[in-house]
Amino acid sequence: MYVAVKGGEAAIRNAHRLLADRRRGDRSVPALTLEQIAGQLSLAVDRVMAEGSLYDTGLAALAVKQARGDMIEAIFLLRAYRTTLPRFGYTRPVDTAAMRVERRVSATYKDLPGGQLLGPTFDYTHRLLDPELAEDQDPAVPEARAADDEAMPRVSDILAHEGLIEEDGSLPEDREPGDITREPPEFPMQRDLRLQALSRGDEGFLLALGYSTQRGFGRNHPFAGEIRIGAVEVEIDVPELDFPVTLGRIRVTECQMVNQFKGSMKVPPQFTRGYGLVFGQSERKAMAMALCDRALRAAELGEDITAPAQDEEFVISHCDNVQATGFVEHLKLPHYVDFQAELGLVRQMRREYEERRRAGDEATTSREAAE
Amino acid sequence: MNAPSDTIAQYNFAYLDEQTKRMIRRAILKAIAIPGYQVPFASREMPMPYGWGTGGVQVTASIIGPDDVLKVIDQGADDTTNAVSIRAFFQKVAHVAVTTHTADATIVQTRHRIPEEPLKEGQVLVYQVPIPEPLRFLEPRETETRKMHALEEYGLMHVKLYEDIAQHGHIATTFAYPVKVEGRYVMDPSPTPKFDNPKMHMSRALQLFGAGREKRIYAVPPHTRVESLDFEDHPFEVQRFDEPCALCGGMDVYLDEVILDDQGGRMFVCSDTDHCEERRDAGHRGHLAGEDGPPSSISEGGTQ
Amino acid sequence: MAFDSIAIEGGFKNPVFDAQSMFRAVMQALAEPGTVHRGIALTRPPAPLTPEAAGVALTLCDQDTPVWLDPALRAEEAVGTWLAFHTGAPLANTPADAHFIFVADAENLIGLENFAQGTQEYPDRSATLVLQVKSLTGGAELVLEGPGIESRARLSPHPMPRHFARQWAQNRARFPRGIDIVLVSREGLAALPRTTRIVNQEGEPCM
């Protein structure tokens, strides 16, 4: 007698207990604390905040722990939480010119007001595995100097004085910035919405697309005008008050690409911009985002759209890793009803194929016999 | 650092906040008013992955109330893991009564099947939809397919189906077979086998379709024409099985093929598990049905 | 801004469940045009906004849905204040900007073509009309056909906008563009989605 498969609830319960056990690992080793994750795996936490679109190091650390270090799973956890939060209002745009800068480099000028500031970077580290890190040893205390009050103007502002770079992107008069988490996407898409999508887009996907533009698939002649990392103030307007209220500080990474542009029918020769801004410290993501932003402005600047990175629908529809992982992984859900339908079809087509072949063989045989 | 345990625990009835429900409810009403048209909506991230029923879950969460009785099926069965998971989700966040009996449910959420038992007035069938755009595999661009729907320009779909006929002698689409709703919009019925297409036509129940990742909701009101695309010389046909269900003896139902051994042994049983059990309870027997009670468990995945 | 007590009272007793039951009534009404749905959760809005119409507003309107009030509703300042407090919906600058239209004086309603019809690409970007009527019976009979109706449905609401049958035929002709109507009265609510056809001539009111 055939016995149908049952017991889904018990199976799920047991699978989740097993998951919790594996997550904990060897119980003779102390469990990770959220402070450890937030403090020592801070770039992982930053990525989860950036692509999870929620600035909360504690929750992001929890997500990293709960996801066993699976970044996309952690991003998903944070997104699913974020979506339940009430929306109180929209902050003012952050002023990155007023950033408390921790790192600032420009590839377009040797020196500039405010100077080059390397900050906590992997750049110029020799990628040699460090055995000392395997031990619990305190590193040397970093050198510190008193902060000076020298202003650190953005490179794009410096170029703008000369009129050699396009105006900073501004929205048409009557357009309020959109919100991709509150409105369904519509193509063609405005740049404000594209930038939001890119800012939470998958680092790896944008990295590959940005890279492809450098290799000639939609080349846009980029210079890293400036990359800055640091803390900016978040302010909100309150209707009853005539000054903005500061909610706090967040760390962000900003990249301004300066792209040489020969001009087109629409636009005179000048430098154009590609822009990247992400939560936390992630230069790779901010730079890739800036390359993609510039590539996606092809239509606006009258350039031919020839490469994947310039294709708005392709890039925006596929850059979200929470969407992508869900749909790719849904293939492991049962599909046996559809498979049964296809099985029936292939069997039928195979029968028809064999019949045609037999008929062909017979025709050949009888022709040969006739000859 | 925030105290997540304090902040995460509180969710609204049926999980979604009221503003989100209103937005989805408005989309549902538009969908009903324009049968077969895909209404864009600001789909939310849900606590289950995209592609795992987030569209259906959002639709169900927006319509469900404390008096509803919910049935969830996947592949026609109530006990497939994802159906179990979604049912448990609504028990947890909405405390609703659940059932496996199609006739007792006020809302049936489904993936890949329509119950065999005809639905009644007042019932709502909620489909989980992966790719809502029937033209998507012919034209990947939303900007283009939107124009095609606007202009009622469906030639491409007919060309595709006709190419099948030219090549194979018949249409080689077995599931997600496109339909035309009330003579206007071409619609994807979700990846149900075409066997189920006729059930959509003039159904007494309201049919709602939710595609979470693709951010679309569409609907077919009750008593609405749903016609599978075909040609005069190649009329639409559904799958036929050569044998009855091995458990309940049912004919004219959709069957799952179950592999019994590695020697080619196989049997066919109802995909709609509730339908099969009801028939067996009523005394119907197939050739492999045992005499004793309902089937019991043989699989406990996840244990070691 | 100070609200008087009228403005902040009279909402749903239980916002979550009342909105859900109200929505189901509207949903079923639209899915089965011509059927009347009763037992809906009520509100206590300032007149001439009726409890039923206000229930629809609280269920479906919010900051994202500009509303337009007909002159009869606009004449009572308390109506706008009450709706603003309970829904947060902004008042539309023109009828064409509104997602929802609330009408207390159906007979003198401006032509249906003045409201958002949606576009051929996005026919969902259209207005929903919430029409307060004295009764769903006793008016000129409308014989209805279309999706959601098994054979024919009948509804006799009154009062209705002038030349309604002709206006509705024009609305129907714009499909998939067009507006949808929710009729509310003390007897409950009924709906006419844009797909519904009026198949008799009696619906045309006497001149």
Side-chain angles (χ1 to χ4, degrees):
Chain A
M1 179 197 155
Y2 169 71
V3 187
V5 178
K6 285 256 187 183
E9 286 179 46
I12 291 173
R13 206 166 44 239
N14 288 333
H16 293 171
R17 282 183 62 171
L18 187 58
L19 168 68
D21 179 75
R22 294 288 192 270
R23 177 191 293 123
R24 177 60 183 84
D26 184 347
R27 286 170 207 233
S28 67
V29 175
L32 278 171
T33 67
L34 300 190
E35 288 77 8
Q36 286 172 334
I37 296 169
Q40 298 173 48
L41 297 177
S42 56
L43 299 190
V45 168
D46 282 356
R47 179 170 175 201
V48 171
M49 293 197 301
E51 292 171 35
S53 304
L54 181 68
Y55 198 94
D56 187 316
T57 49
L59 290 179
L62 174 63
V64 169
K65 181 175 182 178
Q66 189 174 332
R68 305 175 66 191
D70 179 328
M71 298 303 283
I72 293 180
E73 181 68 23
I75 290 160
F76 179 18
L77 283 168
L78 208 59
R79 289 259 195 104
Y81 173 66
R82 176 196 195 275
T83 197
T84 67
L85 298 175
R87 189 65 52 103
F88 296 119
Y90 290 85
T91 63
R92 292 185 150 201
V94 294
D95 181 7
T96 53
M99 178 188 281
R100 266 205 203 169
V101 173
E102 200 175 3
R103 168 167 164 79
R104 187 263 200 123
V105 291
S106 169
T108 51
Y109 293 101
K110 182 175 182 183
D111 198 6
L112 67 171
Q116 307 258 16
L117 201 61
L118 279 183
T121 178
F122 290 120
D123 296 350
Y124 319 113
T125 62
H126 295 146
R127 270 61 169 201
L128 305 170
L129 282 172
D130 180 359
E132 282 188 12
L133 271 178
E135 310 294 326
D136 186 14
Q137 284 189 354
D138 282 338
V141 177
E143 295 282 337
R145 67 173 159 96
D148 49 36
D149 289 335
E150 189 182 1
M152 212 176 261
R154 288 175 296 211
V155 167
S156 52
D157 297 336
I158 297 169
L159 270 172
H161 287 313
E162 233 185 308
L164 291 182
I165 192 165
E166 65 175 330
E167 295 272 314
D168 207 350
S170 57
L171 288 172
E173 281 282 314
D174 55 344
R175 187 179 159 78
E176 286 283 307
D179 181 343
I180 57 162
T181 69
R182 306 305 260 196
E183 301 146 22
E186 183 185 338
F187 297 104
M189 190 177 264
Q190 297 290 320
R191 191 174 173 210
D192 55 327
L193 295 169
R194 278 201 315 251
L195 286 167
Q196 290 174 28
L198 294 175
S199 188
R200 56 165 23 196
D202 182 73
E203 179 176 314
F205 180 75
L206 298 185
L207 178 67
L209 282 172
Y211 177 45
S212 73
T213 66
Q214 290 179 285
R215 292 195 64 260
F217 288 82
R219 185 157 180 237
N220 56 37
H221 311 274
F223 293 93
E226 181 174 2
I227 297 152
R228 54 170 66 195
I229 302 174
V232 291
E233 289 198 333
V234 178
E235 297 174 330
I236 192 163
D237 287 319
V238 179
E240 288 79 21
L241 303 175
D242 47 11
F243 54 90
V245 174
T246 301
L247 299 175
R249 282 209 178 90
I250 59 173
R251 178 186 287 129
V252 296
T253 303
E254 182 188 55
C255 173
Q256 298 242 25
M257 286 288 177
V258 175
N259 301 72
Q260 184 216 81
F261 182 63
K262 294 202 179 74
S264 67
M265 294 296 282
K266 288 184 183 176
V267 185
Q270 60 188 308
F271 290 108
T272 56
R273 299 171 190 245
Y275 188 71
L277 182 75
V278 292
F279 283 160
Q281 176 173 349
S282 181
E283 271 164 55
R284 183 187 302 122
K285 169 70 183 282
M287 294 174 79
M289 174 178 170
L291 290 173
C292 289
D293 170 47
R294 177 59 184 79
L296 290 173
R297 296 180 59 206
E300 172 198 342
L301 296 167
E303 296 168 330
D304 291 337
I305 296 175
T306 55
Q310 298 170 312
D311 186 332
E312 174 180 273
E313 238 194 282
F314 177 79
V315 174
I316 301 298
S317 301
H318 301 115
C319 69
D320 187 302
N321 54 24
V322 177
Q323 290 175 11
T325 200
F327 202 46
V328 167
E329 292 196 55
H330 108 285
L331 289 171
K332 65 193 166 192
L333 288 179
H335 282 78
Y336 54 78
V337 162
D338 293 350
F339 187 71
Q340 186 63 48
E342 290 293 89
L343 209 52
L345 176 68
V346 172
R347 281 181 184 142
Q348 178 193 350
M349 285 172 28
R350 179 56 84 83
R351 237 180 355 256
E352 290 162 359
Y353 171 83
E354 299 294 348
E355 277 161 18
R356 276 199 306 275
R357 211 184 54 167
R358 248 197 322 278
D361 283 351
E362 277 163 21
T364 315
T365 317
S366 58
R367 204 162 48 240
E368 280 169 359
E371 284 165 6
Chain B
M1 212 166 279
N2 293 6
S5 53
D6 295 342
T7 50
I8 293 179
Q10 297 299 315
Y11 290 109
N12 191 22
F13 173 81
Y15 180 78
L16 298 173
D17 59 277
E18 291 300 301
Q19 196 183 347
T20 298
K21 283 185 197 168
R22 270 193 301 274
M23 177 270 295
I24 295 173
R25 286 169 178 167
R26 291 192 294 260
I28 291 171
L29 298 184
K30 286 291 195 287
I32 292 169
I34 318 168
Y37 165 75
Q38 304 163 51
V39 182
F41 81 111
S43 174
R44 302 293 196 242
E45 269 105 358
M46 297 298 286
M48 59 274 290
Y50 284 119
W52 297 52
T54 57
V57 167
Q58 288 180 79
V59 168
T60 297
S62 299
I63 67 174
I64 203 164
D67 301 333
D68 277 305
V69 180
L70 177 69
K71 172 181 165 82
V72 183
I73 51 173
D74 188 337
Q75 314 296 297
D78 298 273
D79 58 357
T80 31
T81 41
N82 206 41
V84 168
S85 167
I86 290 172
R87 190 165 54 240
F89 175 73
F90 280 111
Q91 283 178 288
K92 187 168 159 186
V93 299
H95 315 288
V96 290
V98 297
T99 184
T100 58
H101 299 301
T102 303
D104 296 342
T106 55
I107 300 173
V108 180
Q109 180 168 329
T110 183
R111 174 170 172 263
H112 291 199
R113 274 313 310 276
I114 299 174
E116 302 290 0
E117 185 174 331
L119 297 172
K120 298 172 301 189
E121 237 118 49
Q123 287 185 307
V124 184
L125 182 59
V126 178
Y127 296 74
Q128 301 169 203
V129 182
I131 301 276
E133 178 50 72
L135 305 167
R136 184 59 71 232
F137 300 110
L138 307 171
E139 169 52 64
R141 276 170 208 287
E142 168 70 14
T143 37
E144 294 300 317
T145 52
R146 186 159 289 277
K147 257 182 249 156
M148 293 179 190
H149 285 295
L151 301 171
E152 209 175 342
E153 176 49 68
Y154 296 124
L156 204 57
M157 182 64 91
H158 284 97
V159 168
K160 189 259 171 197
L161 294 174
Y162 210 84
E163 278 173 358
D164 274 5
I165 294 173
Q167 198 180 346
H168 309 293
H170 48 80
I171 292 170
T173 299
T174 59
F175 62 92
Y177 189 104
V179 295
K180 196 166 214 182
V181 180
E182 201 61 24
R184 175 57 176 85
Y185 282 98
V186 167
M187 183 186 94
D188 183 303
S190 87
T192 47
K194 66 178 178 177
F195 180 89
D196 285 338
N197 277 20
K199 295 182 185 139
M200 306 177 80
H201 180 63
M202 294 294 178
S203 170
R204 292 181 170 277
L206 168 63
Q207 302 172 74
L208 300 177
F209 300 77
R213 191 180 37 77
E214 298 281 338
K215 302 179 170 56
R216 297 288 184 275
I217 285 171
Y218 53 104
V220 176
H223 311 297
T224 297
R225 284 187 289 134
V226 179
E227 286 141 336
S228 303
L229 299 185
D230 64 359
F231 299 92
E232 253 175 41
D233 49 344
H234 285 90
F236 173 78
E237 285 178 341
V238 299
Q239 292 100 336
R240 295 262 171 247
F241 292 86
D242 298 333
E243 49 188 293
C245 169
L247 296 180
C248 76
M251 297 289 289
D252 297 323
V253 290
Y254 197 79
L255 300 175
D256 294 337
E257 184 171 334
V258 180
I259 305 297
L260 296 172
D261 52 42
D262 57 2
Q263 309 296 313
R266 65 194 69 217
M267 64 185 288
F268 289 87
V269 297
C270 281
S271 133
D272 183 338
T273 50
D274 171 60
H275 182 71
C276 196
E277 280 168 25
E278 302 250 312
R279 280 181 50 84
R280 278 178 280 150
D281 286 348
H284 297 282
R285 283 286 178 274
H287 66 285
L288 288 177
E291 295 306 312
D292 307 317
S296 60
S297 166
I298 57 162
S299 168
E300 295 277 326
T303 54
Q304 286 215 318
Chain C
M1 211 186 310
F3 291 105
D4 54 32
S5 60
I6 293 173
I8 57 175
E9 286 172 1
F12 281 140
K13 281 206 181 67
N14 187 327
V16 171
F17 296 114
D18 289 352
Q20 188 273 337
S21 66
M22 188 76 188
F23 167 71
R24 280 291 274 275
V26 177
M27 181 179 91
Q28 288 300 338
L30 267 168
E32 296 159 27
T35 56
V36 178
H37 296 263
R38 295 161 213 274
I40 53 184
L42 292 185
T43 55
R44 287 177 291 112
L49 189 66
T50 66
E52 298 81 11
V56 174
L58 264 56
T59 302
L60 295 173
C61 299
D62 56 28
Q63 303 86 297
D64 297 332
T65 57
V67 300
W68 187 80
L69 306 178
D70 80 340
L73 289 173
R74 251 194 335 255
E76 285 302 322
E77 201 179 326
V79 169
T81 314
W82 190 88
L83 279 175
F85 178 80
H86 287 278
T87 68
L91 288 181
N93 295 326
T94 71
D97 294 331
H99 295 191
F100 288 90
I101 315 287
F102 289 88
V103 180
D105 180 9
E107 277 169 301
N108 291 307
L109 182 65
I110 55 173
L112 301 184
E113 74 280 3
N114 290 294
F115 305 115
Q117 308 287 321
T119 64
Q120 202 68 16
E121 276 82 12
Y122 292 95
D124 54 306
R125 295 179 182 175
S126 55
T128 301
L129 222 66
V130 180
L131 216 56
Q132 298 182 179
V133 293
K134 288 197 182 72
S135 174
L136 295 170
T137 55
E141 185 175 65
L142 307 176
V143 181
L144 311 175
E145 285 184 4
I149 302 169
E150 185 165 12
S151 50
R152 282 185 166 185
R154 286 158 205 279
L155 202 61
S156 314
H158 81 97
M160 289 294 277
R162 272 194 287 265
H163 311 298
F164 181 70
R166 197 193 315 156
Q167 286 207 64
W168 192 249
Q170 288 163 354
N171 188 61
R172 181 73 193 79
R174 286 190 281 266
F175 190 84
R177 300 164 65 236
I179 60 151
D180 310 305
I181 295 181
V182 177
L183 297 160
V184 290
S185 80
R186 249 171 292 173
E187 303 136 283
L189 61 86
L192 297 173
R194 67 194 77 179
T195 48
T196 300
R197 299 180 295 276
I198 297 175
V199 293
N200 61 330
Q201 293 305 310
E202 297 84 59
E204 191 69 87
C206 304
M207 294 293 141

